[in-house]
Amino acid sequence: MPIAIQDTYPDDFAHCYGCGRHNEQGHHIKTYRSGEGTVTEHEPDSYYRGAGEFAYGGIIASLIDCHSAGSAAIFWMQANGRVIGDEPAPRFVTARLEVDFVAPTPLGALRLEGTAEESGDRKVIVTTTLLAAGDITARGRAVLVRVTD
Amino acid sequence: MPIAIQDTYPDDFAHCYGCGRHNEQGHHIKTYRSGEGTVTEHEPDSYYRGAGEFAYGGIIASLIDCHSAGSAAIFWMQANGRVIGDEPAPRFVTARLEVDFVAPTPLGALRLEGTAEESGDRKVIVTTTLLAAGDITARGRAVLVRVTD
């Protein structure tokens, strides 16, 4: 049974509205390793709409942000010979987020696929493709920095 | 009494989770003209947290996104000799969003200040400074496109 990176975040890092398992109201997104990349599948509640029956920009940016942070942790573990489930999971925060809204994103099942553009010890850059019903509707690029305390 | 641009959006454009007055669950942000720029003041609910007691990246991106769309409409009206309240309000959607997370953003009263980097008939670029307790914690840049049907 594959483990989502967010299920291994330390408790003090697990309250995020986007991806924290301890946040009652949040999205609870879960990101898995998939081949050389990462994948997050999520269906937003219908009230996260923007114009018409399409997702609003903020939910798309939110999903890409948390998916990128989880992906960065996965890529860092991979580069350091670790697998998801090894503790402690590294914690990454976003320094910069870019989103290109390629087409309106219908509300429904969404899939985010992540790739490592750069994978350093302190900095990881993740590019993301967001698909709705198989069509690319948004692209993301995020610069993540590892929290070392 | 100043009017927020979101209070003048056409009904079919007023269901957005970020800024729609008809979205029961959403943020209901309101953007006003302020001098040559725009301003949005908003205090997110406490569950929009990320790590610790700081706002999560998605809420910051969401606020900048909707603030930028509202600002684009305001700048367009200004360039076309109209004032907020003249109908119909122009509708703008985001083509690209960039967010730089300069410092952690404490949950509490936030202020977003918008400036027009470019103000065309079809395309408007808005830069945003996000302040928490007077300190700049994030910067945004958004490319918005006017919906002409």
Side-chain angles (χ1 to χ4, degrees):
Chain A
M1 185 72 180
I3 304 170
I5 186 70
Q6 291 87 0
D7 286 336
T8 74
Y9 281 169
D11 279 334
D12 68 348
F13 205 66
H15 292 273
C16 173
Y17 187 85
C19 59
R21 63 185 180 278
H22 296 324
N23 190 311
E24 282 180 28
Q25 292 89 353
H27 302 309
H28 303 121
I29 75 161
K30 294 187 185 297
T31 306
Y32 299 89
R33 185 169 169 184
S34 173
E36 290 303 299
T38 60
V39 67
T40 301
E41 291 182 315
H42 182 77
E43 183 163 345
D45 287 319
S46 60
Y47 48 77
Y48 290 111
R49 61 193 290 208
E53 295 304 315
F54 299 110
Y56 91 112
I59 181 75
I60 294 169
S62 300
L63 295 176
I64 292 176
D65 183 31
C66 282
H67 159 81
S68 298
S71 297
I74 292 173
F75 292 134
W76 188 91
M77 295 183 90
Q78 194 167 329
N80 286 274
R82 302 189 197 175
V83 295
I84 300 177
D86 291 351
E87 295 193 357
R91 296 170 298 163
F92 279 83
V93 294
T94 314
R96 179 175 168 81
L97 176 67
E98 302 166 20
V99 181
D100 284 297
F101 300 92
V102 179
T105 298
L107 281 164
L110 304 179
R111 179 181 172 89
L112 298 96
E113 298 177 348
T115 304
E117 176 185 311
E118 185 180 318
S119 185
D121 182 53
R122 190 71 203 275
K123 185 175 91 169
V124 176
I125 301 178
V126 177
T127 54
T128 295
T129 303
L130 185 146
L131 300 109
D135 294 325
I136 296 173
T137 59
R139 296 182 194 278
R141 182 176 179 273
V143 180
L144 296 302
V145 175
R146 188 162 62 88
V147 179
T148 50
D149 285 338
Chain B
M1 186 73 181
I3 303 170
I5 186 69
Q6 291 86 358
D7 287 336
T8 74
Y9 281 169
D11 279 335
D12 68 350
F13 206 66
H15 292 273
C16 173
Y17 187 85
C19 60
R21 63 185 180 278
H22 295 325
N23 191 311
E24 282 181 26
Q25 291 90 353
H27 301 309
H28 304 120
I29 74 161
K30 294 188 186 298
T31 306
Y32 299 89
R33 185 170 169 183
S34 172
E36 290 303 300
T38 60
V39 65
T40 301
E41 292 182 315
H42 182 76
E43 183 164 344
D45 287 320
S46 60
Y47 48 78
Y48 290 112
R49 61 191 290 207
E53 296 303 315
F54 299 109
Y56 92 112
I59 180 75
I60 294 169
S62 299
L63 295 176
I64 291 175
D65 183 31
C66 282
H67 159 81
S68 298
S71 296
I74 292 173
F75 292 134
W76 187 91
M77 295 182 88
Q78 194 168 329
N80 286 274
R82 302 189 197 175
V83 295
I84 300 178
D86 290 351
E87 294 192 1
R91 294 170 299 164
F92 279 83
V93 294
T94 313
R96 178 174 168 83
L97 176 67
E98 302 166 20
V99 181
D100 285 296
F101 299 92
V102 179
T105 298
L107 282 164
L110 304 178
R111 179 182 173 89
L112 298 96
E113 297 177 348
T115 305
E117 177 185 312
E118 185 180 319
S119 186
D121 181 53
R122 190 70 202 276
K123 185 175 91 170
V124 175
I125 301 178
V126 177
T127 56
T128 295
T129 303
L130 185 146
L131 300 109
D135 294 325
I136 295 174
T137 61
R139 295 182 194 276
R141 181 176 180 274
V143 180
L144 296 302
V145 176
R146 187 162 62 88
V147 179
T148 50
D149 287 336

